[in-house]
Amino acid sequence: MHFCGDVCRLHFATAIQTCEGVLMTLSIPGYDLRTQVRARDIQMAASADLSRRVLMVSGAIDTKDHDVAVTFLLPEPGRWQVIKSETNLSDASWLTWQMTAGEGVHFVQDEQAMVVSQQFAKTFMTPDQKRITFYDGEVRPGEAVLKMFTIECTKRRGDASHARFSPAPTESPKKIKDMVDDYVANGMPKKPVIEVVVPVTLIG
């Protein structure tokens, strides 16, 4: 996929607890871990049940000014039911959640595929099955959003991005509703992107 704006790559530091109780951080040449590594944001991780074709993803997001692009490696290509949860660590509520499928990935819409969220009452999928928007709900700071949907992948490596809408405190309810309606129909404006590689553990 192609994204507009600057791209921030997510790096992970390794912390080691010594027997004296001192927390030591692994040094990575070329990186200032105090300023360049996002420690709170995300570690995102996934587990794949191959026998049931279920992919479970969890994580946390602490930014409202970036979209998040995720890359994952499936055990096999094909159809997968995805159960995905992220905790809102930002200081603003999310009123919509948009997911956009990357190359070789599309969302499934048929009588067997559930597209549902615990926090959002409504969903919209574009005719090309490349974008899902969850809306008519709210995920407040500290809360987690839970979603279920199905993807079809032509290869093991999958790419997708997600965006959240957090209105300014000064926006009127009518303006917010108009913005949500526009984003559902036409997609959300692109923001700078954080890229995340999601490790997938095979559990079945």
Side-chain angles (χ1 to χ4, degrees), residues 166-182:
S166 298
T170 55
E171 299 289 5
S172 68
K174 183 181 184 306
K175 176 65 173 178
I176 292 172
K177 181 182 182 305
D178 290 345
M179 294 174 74
V180 169
D181 291 345
D182 178 56

Side-chain angles (χ1 to χ4, degrees), residues 122-190:
K122 298 178 182 178
T123 61
F124 172 79
M125 186 183 299
T126 54
D128 64 359
Q129 299 177 247
K130 297 293 286 186
R131 174 169 62 86
I132 293 177
T133 304
F134 298 90
Y135 65 106
D136 191 12
E138 181 182 14
V139 182
R140 291 171 293 184
E143 295 180 343
V145 57
L146 179 64
K147 306 166 297 298
M148 182 184 298
F149 52 91
T150 301
I151 59 174
E152 184 83 33
C153 297
T154 60
K155 52 188 178 181
R156 289 184 61 201
R157 173 172 169 155
D159 299 282
S161 67
H162 52 75
R164 290 111 11 242
F165 169 50
S166 298
T170 55
E171 299 289 5
S172 68
K174 183 181 184 306
K175 176 65 173 178
I176 292 172
K177 181 182 182 305
D178 290 345
M179 294 174 74
V180 169
D181 291 345
D182 178 56
Y183 294 159
V184 170
N186 302 306
M188 295 180 59
K190 288 183 169 58

Side-chain angles (χ1 to χ4, degrees), residues 46-121:
S47 298
D49 187 329
L50 183 57
S51 62
R52 296 178 175 86
R53 308 291 290 189
V54 173
L55 181 69
M56 295 167 285
V57 185
S58 63
I61 298 173
D62 71 359
T63 177
K64 62 183 179 183
D65 301 317
H66 291 77
D67 294 340
V68 178
V70 298
T71 299
F72 49 89
L73 190 65
L74 295 168
E76 292 181 359
R79 181 170 173 146
W80 288 84
Q81 182 183 54
V82 182
I83 302 170
K84 197 167 184 284
S85 175
E86 290 90 358
T87 301
N88 181 0
L89 296 184
S90 75
D91 59 359
S93 293
W94 301 335
L95 298 191
T96 66
W97 183 285
Q98 173 183 290
M99 296 200 63
T100 305
E103 183 180 354
V105 182
H106 69 266
F107 300 106
V108 177
Q109 189 174 33
D110 59 27
E111 65 279 359
Q112 295 178 329
M114 293 183 63
V115 182
V116 65
S117 170
Q118 184 180 20
Q119 286 70 33
F120 295 107

